[in-house]
Amino acid sequence: MKETYMNKNGFTLIEMIFCLSVVLVLLLLVIPNVTSKNTIVKDRGCKAQVEVVNSQILLYEIEHGRLPDSIDDLTSGDHPYLSEEQASCPNGLEIYIEDGQAYAR
């Protein structure tokens, strides 16, 4: 009796569906972690930016003998202490100065 062997050159439909479902499950598990880490990085970047502004407030006070009234005092003039981009956080919050201290809102 002659035995016939099936020559398998590719995946069956069931194998393809199984592989795609495994990949989709992995993506569903990974995507929320990536987006939450992006938010954490932006929040930490905002805290770091506020500290940069606080250090520039100190330099402004040393050079002018008074505290800046607003962030505009630090971003304007011939030699600004901050660039316009540094007046806001990476997460979109605005940095403002109150009583000589920088805060984000």
Side-chain angles (χ1 to χ4, degrees):
M1 194 165 209
K2 190 177 190 185
E3 291 185 36
T4 58
Y5 292 100
M6 187 175 173
N7 189 4
K8 193 172 182 180
N9 290 329
F11 292 110
T12 64
L13 183 61
I14 299 296
E15 290 171 331
M16 288 297 290
I17 290 172
F18 177 76
C19 290
L20 287 174
S21 63
V22 168
V23 169
L24 287 175
V25 167
L26 288 174
L27 282 175
L28 289 173
L29 292 173
V30 169
I31 288 175
N33 289 334
V34 171
T35 56
S36 68
K37 287 190 188 331
N38 196 11
T39 303
I40 291 169
V41 168
K42 286 184 179 181
D43 288 343
R44 288 189 183 169
C46 187
K47 289 178 185 177
Q49 187 62 34
V50 168
E51 290 305 314
V52 168
V53 173
N54 280 328
S55 68
Q56 296 306 310
I57 289 171
L58 289 173
L59 288 175
Y60 184 93
E61 183 181 18
I62 290 169
E63 290 184 7
H64 293 89
R66 64 177 182 85
L67 291 170
D69 297 323
S70 68
I71 197 80
D72 293 331
D73 291 340
L74 299 175
T75 58
S76 62
D78 293 335
H79 302 288
Y81 293 86
L82 298 170
S83 66
E84 290 292 329
E85 294 84 26
Q86 290 174 311
S88 61
C89 287
N91 61 4
L93 294 177
E94 177 189 353
I95 296 176
Y96 68 98
I97 298 173
E98 186 175 295
D99 297 328
Q101 184 73 24
Y103 301 98
R105 61 171 157 201

